[in-house]
């Protein structure tokens, strides 16, 4: 959905860049470098790779990440300069990055600053995109390691695009334990998991984000499995808080 929003920028020539939050600029990217590189150049393409949205601007590649709370607003019509710099705007403080062009612009609003902006991101650090991953690739990724299943699914260098909430929802739907060794899955279980990854991501995108899963309301100390009513377990898996059902997730 981010890529679709960003496609509205294609063909526009950047007139200003607004990058007030240096913490949001990653891997050595600076506000000056962004202005020098982007101003006067035209957006020629938008593509997505996992959680990374890539904009080709002139000869440069701009990488945008949104974290859990970030959103992109692309406005082709309204005078966005006014919106941008107006203190009357309630969420102006959440604006981490913006570009404007004649008659419009693009704004990233991210209250929790979990996303980021960088020039020339290293795309090779990312594994194949979860939505494009086929069953054979998944078998290959999982079969090579005995690490916990969830830790492997979260590893962006192996599979790009699965965050913590999505991962718990996928495993809950697939009936697979997050702490199982990745290489212990049967062929049938890998096939099931492959389907669950795609269906779950598609469903959450349609509903409006990773926080819209069926498990979401139960992510607390009294949480119960929406399927069978069992008290959920709360564990640290792969460095992330994990909720899962010991009854039907095996
Ligand atoms: Zn259950």
């Amino acid at each position: 959905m981010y890529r679709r929003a960003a496609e509205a920028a294609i063909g526009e020539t950047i007139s200003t860049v607004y990058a007030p939050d240096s913490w949001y600029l990653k891997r050595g990217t600076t506000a000056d470098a962004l202005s020098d590189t982007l101003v006067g150049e035209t957006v020629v393409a938008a593509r997505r790779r996992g959680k990374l949205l890539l904009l080709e601007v002139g000869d440069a590649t701009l990488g945008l990440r949104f974290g859990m709370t970030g959103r992109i607003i692309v406005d082709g019509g309204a005078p966005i300069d006014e919106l941008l710099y107006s203190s009357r705007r309630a969420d102006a403080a959440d604006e981490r990055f913006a570009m404007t062009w004649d008659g419009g612009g693009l704004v990233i609003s991210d209250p929790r600053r979990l996303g980021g902006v960088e020039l020339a991101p290293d795309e090779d650090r990312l594994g194949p995109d979860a939505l494009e991953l086929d069953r054979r690739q998944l078998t290959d990724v999982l079969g090579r390691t005995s690490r916990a299943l969830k830790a492997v699914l979260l590893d962006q260098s192996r599979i790009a695009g699965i965050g913590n909430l999505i991962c718990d929802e996928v495993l809950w739907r697939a009936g697979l334990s997050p702490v199982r060794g990745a290489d212990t899955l049967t062929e049938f279980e890998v096939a099931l998991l492959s389907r669950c990854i795609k269906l779950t991501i598609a469903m959450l995108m349609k509903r409006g984000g990773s926080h819209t899963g069926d498990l979401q309301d139960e992510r607390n100390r009294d949480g119960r499995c929406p399927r069978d009513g069992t008290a959920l377990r709360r564990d640290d898996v792969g460095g992330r808080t994990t909720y899962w059902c010991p009854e039907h997730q095996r």
Side-chain angles (χ1 to χ4, degrees):
M1 56 194 150
Y2 291 132
R3 180 176 55 79
R4 229 176 300 144
E7 276 172 354
I10 293 172
E12 304 291 355
T13 298
I14 309 303
S15 52
T16 60
V17 172
Y18 175 68
D21 185 354
S22 62
W23 195 84
Y24 212 70
L25 309 180
K26 304 298 184 188
R27 288 162 55 82
T29 299
T30 63
D32 284 347
L34 286 167
S35 287
D36 290 349
T37 307
L38 304 175
V39 170
E41 301 292 341
T42 300
V43 180
V44 291
R47 50 202 175 85
R48 193 178 66 86
R49 185 138 182 214
K51 291 174 164 180
L52 190 63
L53 174 66
L54 297 148
L55 289 182
E56 307 291 349
V57 186
D59 294 330
T61 303
L62 178 67
L64 309 171
R65 279 175 227 272
F66 303 94
M68 275 193 299
T69 56
R71 62 198 177 98
I72 184 171
I73 305 145
V74 181
D75 196 329
I80 202 156
D81 292 85
E82 282 174 34
L83 292 176
L84 265 180
Y85 303 113
S86 166
S87 58
R88 281 172 299 166
R89 219 173 153 209
D91 60 350
D94 297 335
E95 282 161 6
R96 309 293 170 201
F97 176 77
M99 303 190 299
T100 65
W101 51 79
D102 192 18
L106 169 160
V107 179
I108 295 177
S109 172
D110 188 351
R112 288 177 61 191
R113 303 161 96 205
L114 294 170
V117 170
E118 66 186 284
L119 284 168
D122 182 0
E123 294 174 51
D124 294 334
R125 281 187 312 158
L126 293 171
D129 191 294
L131 278 175
E132 288 155 14
L133 189 76
D134 65 30
R135 198 193 302 180
R136 198 176 344 145
Q137 287 172 304
L138 185 61
T139 302
D140 186 46
V141 166
L142 298 178
R144 273 186 281 158
T145 175
S146 58
R147 288 166 65 203
L149 176 58
K150 178 171 173 182
V152 178
L153 294 175
L154 286 178
D155 184 343
Q156 301 296 308
S157 70
R158 293 179 190 266
I159 304 168
I162 301 181
N164 192 43
L165 299 178
I166 292 175
C167 199
D168 281 1
E169 183 80 12
V170 165
L171 292 174
W172 175 75
R173 285 170 179 267
L176 294 169
S177 162
V179 297
R180 234 175 104 178
D183 59 359
T184 67
L185 268 64
T186 64
E187 201 178 322
F188 172 78
E189 287 172 326
V190 174
L192 178 68
L193 178 60
S194 175
R195 272 185 66 78
C196 274
I197 289 171
K198 286 172 190 164
L199 291 173
T200 303
I201 292 175
M203 179 196 79
L204 296 177
M205 281 171 73
K206 202 171 165 193
R207 288 187 186 173
S210 57
H211 59 284
T212 60
D214 290 351
L215 205 55
Q216 186 65 26
D217 287 346
E218 304 298 327
R219 295 183 68 87
N220 59 64
R221 292 192 184 276
D222 303 318
R224 295 198 165 267
C225 174
R227 185 178 294 182
D228 51 50
T230 304
L232 293 178
R233 280 192 60 155
R234 181 181 186 272
D235 289 310
D236 186 328
V237 185
R240 304 300 301 273
T241 300
T242 301
Y243 287 91
W244 65 286
C245 172
E247 175 64 25
H248 87 273
Q249 287 180 251
R250 299 298 178 90

